[in-house]
Amino acid sequence: VSAGPRDFIRPALRAGGRLLFAGVAVKPGKPFAFGRFGGVPVFALPGNPGSVLVSFLEFVDPALRRMAGTAEAAPRFLARLSVPVMADPHRRTFLWARVERRADGLAVAPAGPAGSHRLLPVATADALLEVPAGAGELWTGTRVTVRPLPGIDGTAW
């Protein structure tokens, strides 16, 4: 799915199915949409690699868990920022991040520059750092929520 004129998914859902919502207040992943086609749930994921991964982890994985009867949520931890981070005023933001255990607890920093098209931060991250919408600048030492990426055992931090 796309936010631009080359989006063919939303029109197809409107024509032959039911578009339930399009666009979410999440960065990356704003174009995410959901609908039904012939009674089958359709998760329309954005095209950029970072956007599709965040959308899958944030929306699709929990829905699939519920459909399968295993609503166990992905674990989340609190960590302190080791660098300042700026929040988007209107959207909850997820940053690819690295977590490390320090004497005073968990510390987290972005794995690289933000951008849904950037692959290096995705490849080197072990967690998603969640930045609430409208939080302004989060200073070093601010406690934030982090979620280990699939395959990463967050309890090892």
Side-chain angles (χ1 to χ4, degrees):
V1 70
S2 171
R6 295 186 185 255
D7 176 23
F8 301 106
I9 303 298
R10 292 180 207 183
L13 278 174
R14 286 185 187 110
R18 185 170 174 211
L19 180 65
L20 296 171
F21 68 84
V24 291
V26 170
K27 183 179 183 177
K30 184 178 178 182
F32 179 83
F34 178 76
R36 293 195 173 275
F37 198 91
V40 177
V42 175
F43 299 94
L45 302 172
N48 279 325
S51 296
V52 74
L53 288 167
V54 168
S55 296
F56 181 83
L57 294 171
E58 190 63 16
F59 304 115
V60 180
D61 183 54
L64 292 177
R65 288 173 187 259
R66 282 189 203 99
M67 287 181 215
T70 58
E72 182 180 315
R76 296 174 192 263
F77 299 90
L78 290 177
R80 294 191 185 277
L81 287 172
S82 55
V83 297
V85 171
M86 182 60 78
D88 183 289
H90 307 290
R91 295 189 283 169
R92 186 168 45 134
T93 302
F94 291 93
L95 300 172
W96 302 100
R98 299 280 311 160
V99 176
E100 66 176 304
R101 178 164 297 283
R102 295 185 178 167
D104 61 344
L106 299 178
V108 64
S116 60
H117 64 290
R118 297 183 180 270
L119 293 178
L120 187 59
V122 176
T124 59
D126 59 7
L128 276 179
L129 185 165
E130 185 175 338
V131 181
E137 185 170 1
L138 301 179
W139 300 98
T140 300
T142 302
R143 292 180 71 143
V144 292
T145 301
V146 294
R147 176 175 46 192
L149 295 177
I152 304 292
D153 180 9
T155 59
W157 292 328

